[in-house]
């Protein structure tokens, strides 16, 4: 009986065994120990967990964007006070400089001056551009090809259209048109030649006018004359390099468009 049991055990051991328990020789150079394999598996598990975390973060961002797109969440506006000295902030015009920072031209009604504010990245630097008389209404701000700011505006004291351009150290002021009561509703733009142009309202004749700098003088044109036209102008240059103006026809209560 014992002999039969011993024989059965030997047969069972032979059937389940993968080979001799004693290794045939030293492991091959490419073979890894269990400890090395465990280290690799642990590192891979950490990488998988990290990727899972990144996927969850991206899914959360996508959900937020979907909410913003659907309009169910509104992004907040960051508000700041630029100038609080006296009564300021009428007739503003905003433009971004080549440095990517905002700048604003505006009218200070306390001192009747034209002012300019430019963000430095941390604070607003304020300047008085023109303080001779009653100046600074109907401002329009633009940056030239030299990266310097320029402003068109009205000199109310004299009823003139004026133009200010920063030289890098100071503001150079010019009277553009002094014929009659002019200079309301100005709009400033630089043409492809790098020279400034201004659309504006001639209140004496109730006309729409355009002033364009040639490099040495200002060339003045009457764009539209019949009726009371030319208020609330906006000037831009098209892809063909020619100026175009949108404006209000007060006689007929119409929106009009002029293209050179």
């Amino acid at each position: 009986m014992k002999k039969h049991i011993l024989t059965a055990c030997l047969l069972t051991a032979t059937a389940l065994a993968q080979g001799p328990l004693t290794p045939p020789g030293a492991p091959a150079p490419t073979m890894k120990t269990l400890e090395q394999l465990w280290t690799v598996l642990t590192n891979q598990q950490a990488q998988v967990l990290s990727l899972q975390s990144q996927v969850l973060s991206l899914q959360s961002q996508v959900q937020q964007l979907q909410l913003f797109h659907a309009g169910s969440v509104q992004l907040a506006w960051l508000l700041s006070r630029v100038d609080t000295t006296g009564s300021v902030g009428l007739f503003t015009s905003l433009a971004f400089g080549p440095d990517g920072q905002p700048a604003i031209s505006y009218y200070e009604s306390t001192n009747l001056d034209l002012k300019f504010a430019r963000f430095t990245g941390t604070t607003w630097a304020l300047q008085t551009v023109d303080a001779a008389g009653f100046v600074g209404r109907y401002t329009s701000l633009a940056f030239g090809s030299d990266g310097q700011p320029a402003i068109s505006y009205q000199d109310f004291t004299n009823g003139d259209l004026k133009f200010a351009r920063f030289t890098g150290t100071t503001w150079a002021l010019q009277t553009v048109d002094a014929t009659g009561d002019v200079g309301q509703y100005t709009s400033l733009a630089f043409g492809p030649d790098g020279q400034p142009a201004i659309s504006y309202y001639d209140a004496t004749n109730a006309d729409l006018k355009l002033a364009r700098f040639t490099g040495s003088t200002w060339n003045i044109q009457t764009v539209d004359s019949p009726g009371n036209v030319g208020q609330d102008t906006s000037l831009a240059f098209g892809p063909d390099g020619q100026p175009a103006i949108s404006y209000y026809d007060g006689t007929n209560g119409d929106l009009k468009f002029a293209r050179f």
Side-chain angles (χ1 to χ4, degrees):
M1 183 66 178
K2 291 181 179 179
K3 183 178 180 179
H4 291 304
I5 293 173
L6 180 59
T7 301
C9 289
L10 290 172
L11 291 173
T12 303
T14 302
L16 295 177
Q18 300 298 313
L21 294 177
T22 303
T30 57
M31 296 177 67
K32 304 293 183 182
T33 66
L34 289 176
E35 183 178 359
Q36 290 174 324
L37 291 174
W38 179 258
T39 301
V40 172
L41 290 173
T42 303
N43 291 337
Q44 290 181 342
Q45 185 181 28
Q47 293 176 9
V48 169
L49 292 174
S50 176
L51 289 173
Q52 287 178 339
S53 176
Q54 293 178 34
V55 169
L56 290 174
S57 176
L58 288 172
Q59 288 177 339
S60 175
Q61 294 177 31
V62 169
Q63 290 175 350
Q64 291 178 4
L65 289 173
Q66 289 173 339
L67 289 173
F68 293 151
H69 183 71
S72 57
V73 176
Q74 293 184 349
L75 296 174
W77 285 84
L78 179 61
L79 309 179
S80 60
R81 294 187 183 276
V82 178
D83 189 352
T84 59
T85 306
S87 178
V88 293
L90 293 170
F91 302 103
T92 73
S93 181
L94 168 69
F96 282 83
D99 59 356
Q101 299 295 352
I104 307 169
S105 61
Y106 59 104
Y107 171 64
E108 180 193 336
S109 56
T110 299
N111 296 301
L112 312 178
D113 294 341
L114 170 66
K115 297 190 73 176
F116 175 75
R118 190 166 186 177
F119 195 60
T120 64
T122 53
T123 60
W124 288 93
L126 310 180
Q127 288 180 289
T128 297
V129 178
D130 192 351
F134 185 172
V135 292
R137 301 197 309 170
Y138 303 105
T139 78
S140 182
L141 170 67
F143 282 83
S145 57
D146 59 356
Q148 299 297 349
I151 308 169
S152 61
Y153 59 103
Q154 186 195 39
D155 175 347
F156 183 78
T157 299
N158 299 296
D160 296 342
L161 169 65
K162 294 190 75 174
F163 175 75
R165 190 167 190 174
F166 194 61
T167 64
T169 54
T170 187
W171 287 91
L173 310 180
Q174 285 182 286
T175 297
V176 178
D177 189 353
T179 305
D181 183 8
V182 294
Q184 296 179 22
Y185 306 105
T186 76
S187 181
L188 169 66
F190 283 84
D193 58 357
Q195 300 297 348
I198 308 168
S199 61
Y200 59 103
Y201 178 61
D202 177 346
T204 298
N205 299 296
D207 293 344
L208 170 66
K209 299 182 78 173
L210 175 74
R212 192 165 183 180
F213 195 59
T214 65
S216 56
T217 60
W218 288 91
N219 181 22
I220 310 295
Q221 288 180 290
T222 297
V223 178
D224 193 357
S225 183
N228 182 10
V229 292
Q231 295 176 323
D232 301 299
T233 78
S234 182
L235 170 66
F237 282 85
D240 59 357
Q242 299 299 342
I245 308 168
S246 61
Y247 59 102
Y248 176 63
D249 178 343
T251 298
N252 300 294
D254 294 340
L255 167 66
K256 295 189 75 174
F257 174 76
R259 190 166 192 176
F260 190 64

